Amino acid sequence: MKVTINDVAKYAGVSIKTVSRVTNNEPSVKQATVDKVNEAIKVLNYQPNLAARNLAGTKSYAIGFIYDNPNAYYIIDMQNGILSACKDKGYELVIHPCNAKSDTICDELTQLVKYSRLAGLVLTPPLSEDPKVLKSLNEIDANYVRIIAGEGIIEPDGLTILVNDKSGAVEITQHLIDLGHKNIAFLSGDLHHESTKERLLGYKQALTKNHLILNENYIIEGKYSFESGVEGANTLIKLKNRPTAIVACNDEIAAGALFAARLAGLDIPGDLSIVGFEDSPFSRQTWPKLTTVHQPNSEIAQVATELLIAKRREQDAKFAKTFTPEPVIRDSSASPKH
């Protein structure tokens, strides 16, 4: 027969309500009691029915992951990080892809919170950066944590995970400059993402710091896709004074640029160095393997979810944390031929 909460309570010698408080990770239970209940759960192999708990209780135990991002690797990393925190804290995960540019996005998200009875939302760019979305969620007192690109942009009452993309872009561009490159191009992602703006700003900052002239022809606007990398690289390769190095806004773009360059007969990194951003599997699946910037997306998502759950339980917790991506040097960057 299936083990019930009544069985756990009887074995541990506590009330059903106490078992419920322990399985919900509520902070007000004495550690000795928590240990007794957890021992009973382990011995009896009790599996709480989280879905039934959501329906029966006054509290919700589901976290929503809201995203509009075409990069499957990014989405998987974020899901894994959120799931890790949810499993540890006794929550479920609701995944909700959406179109951030939709005219009805605000209504869509407020309805989701109301009818799915979500305990909170993990918002990723560009939704986490949209004032209209945030205003709508605030109007219904929704709990959410924002993952955004930037540094020092902390709201006093909000949960925020900052990813210092600019610093990562400065360092990866500096890596190319240190190798001797002076003609360095930039392949952009979608400009409605703050991460794109921050990475472009870091690229420009590194050039300025090293007294290198910014060539506007070297900055190609695009999207976060392999195809965009191919198109952007083809444009750069055809320039009379083509660059000797490319900073791509993510690894998918960089992989597309590498593909286009090799089709054009260029040696990588001999004729053209190419670096990416994020350290996704794309960076390790190309040949040569991509020099890139490591961004710990799973850890970012896990920490974001832990902050969200801690705030909901009114536990003491830091309401902001900053992650700084760091360069990973591989085989796609080298000194230019003289």
Side-chain angles (χ1 to χ4, degrees), residues 126-154:
L127 295 153
S128 58
E129 302 156 347
D130 188 332
K132 297 191 300 297
V133 167
L134 302 179
K135 182 175 182 292
S136 296
L137 293 175
N138 288 334
E139 286 173 352
I140 62 169
D141 292 323
N143 295 311
Y144 60 82
V145 57
R146 303 167 64 206
I147 299 174
I148 61 176
E151 52 182 341
I153 314 167
I154 303 294

Side-chain angles (χ1 to χ4, degrees), residues 71-74 76-77 80 226 250-256 258 262 274-298 326-332:
N71 187 333
Y73 293 123
Y74 174 84
I76 291 170
D77 279 347
N80 288 340
F226 182 91
N250 77 346
D251 294 329
E252 199 168 353
I253 296 171
L258 193 152
R262 295 192 66 186
I274 299 175
V275 301
F277 209 106
E278 289 179 10
D279 195 21
S280 74
F282 266 107
S283 65
R284 299 179 291 280
Q285 292 167 351
T286 61
W287 185 80
K289 293 180 181 179
L290 287 169
T291 292
T292 185
V293 181
H294 177 65
Q295 184 170 298
N297 288 323
S298 288
E326 298 180 350
V328 178
I329 310 305
R330 296 197 180 103
D331 306 323
S332 66

Side-chain angles (χ1 to χ4, degrees), residues 197-257:
K197 299 173 185 176
E198 289 290 311
R199 293 171 193 182
L200 178 57
L201 186 61
Y203 156 81
K204 290 180 176 180
Q205 194 173 97
L207 295 184
T208 301
K209 178 183 175 183
N210 290 273
H211 309 290
L212 296 177
I213 296 172
L214 176 65
N215 186 340
E216 292 294 342
N217 292 327
Y218 283 173
I219 301 175
I220 307 296
E221 184 178 339
K223 298 184 178 299
Y224 282 110
S225 69
F226 182 91
E227 292 75 17
S228 182
V230 173
E231 293 174 9
N234 281 332
T235 299
L236 293 171
I237 289 168
K238 292 173 184 175
L239 293 176
K240 183 176 181 181
N241 183 29
R242 68 171 176 80
T244 61
I246 294 174
V247 175
C249 223
N250 77 346
D251 294 329
E252 199 168 353
I253 296 171

Side-chain angles (χ1 to χ4, degrees), residues 17-34 59 61 89 91 309-317:
K17 184 176 180 181
T18 298
V19 175
S20 177
R21 288 164 64 194
V22 172
T23 57
N24 293 338
N25 291 302
E26 293 185 15
S28 57
V29 187
K30 292 180 180 179
Q31 188 58 48
T33 304
V34 172
K59 285 187 176 182
Y61 294 91
K89 304 297 183 182
Y91 281 68
I309 294 172
K311 183 185 179 185
R312 184 169 183 265
R313 292 176 175 165
E314 298 182 348
Q315 295 174 332
D316 291 335

